[in-house]
Amino acid sequence: MAVGGASAQAGEPVRAGRPVQLRRRLGRADLKAVPEARREVRELLQHWGRPGRSQIAELLTSELVTNALVHTDDEAVLTAVVGPGVLRVEVRDFMACRPHLRAPDADSDTHGRGLLLVQSLADAWGVRPHKVGKSVWFELGPEAA
């Protein structure tokens, strides 16, 4: 894995001057990547001086990673960047369809809440289209993360 001109093993944050970055390829339908992504974001936040305040960042990261792996038929890429005063997490997939906010189905106890959580807990979030696919991202300031 190469980030900012430096190399690291999967799950190892890289300090390329400033900011601190994490970049990880997520295998197709590899749901083991969800807890690994949470752990890696937690470790990244230690470099930001916020090791005990990562619960929201971990939850939102797991939502984006899960959505990308469950609702697409391809790999995805997780990127997390800690910059001055902000954590930005982005999950890029290679499917053109945009995610939709939807009210959770009363009959479904576990589906349909992910983007609502992102919307309600993130300081900012959105969807950025690419020529192939899209990125879904969120940002947290130091108080939230």
Side-chain angles (χ1 to χ4, degrees):
M1 164 173 67
V3 179
S7 63
Q9 296 177 19
E12 180 182 337
V14 175
R15 187 179 299 270
R18 287 208 169 201
V20 178
Q21 268 189 359
L22 165 71
R23 185 171 172 89
R24 181 181 207 282
R25 185 165 294 279
L26 306 167
R28 180 180 179 199
D30 179 15
L31 293 179
K32 295 181 310 218
V34 176
E36 293 167 0
R38 289 177 70 107
R39 178 186 50 77
E40 291 166 357
V41 167
R42 183 181 325 117
E43 291 171 0
L44 180 69
L45 288 174
Q46 290 175 350
H47 291 277
W48 198 22
R50 305 282 193 279
R53 303 180 66 197
S54 66
Q55 295 90 355
I56 292 173
E58 290 179 57
L59 173 64
L60 300 184
T61 298
S62 67
E63 293 299 333
L64 295 189
V65 169
T66 299
N67 282 349
L69 295 176
V70 169
H71 298 294
T72 68
D73 291 329
D74 206 345
E75 296 181 330
V77 177
L78 165 67
T79 304
V81 180
V82 174
V86 69
L87 165 70
R88 181 180 176 97
V89 175
E90 184 171 299
V91 178
R92 179 172 182 192
D93 65 52
F94 301 94
M95 300 288 290
C97 59
R98 293 176 60 93
H100 298 285
L101 280 174
R102 59 185 174 131
D105 182 359
D107 296 332
S108 174
D109 57 343
T110 61
H111 299 289
R113 293 175 175 83
L115 286 179
L116 290 173
L117 284 171
V118 174
Q119 179 186 43
S120 64
L121 296 175
D123 292 330
W125 79 281
V127 180
R128 185 168 50 109
H130 296 275
K131 281 187 176 182
V132 176
K134 66 188 170 300
S135 293
V136 182
W137 59 271
F138 71 84
E139 291 181 350
L140 294 174
E143 296 305 314

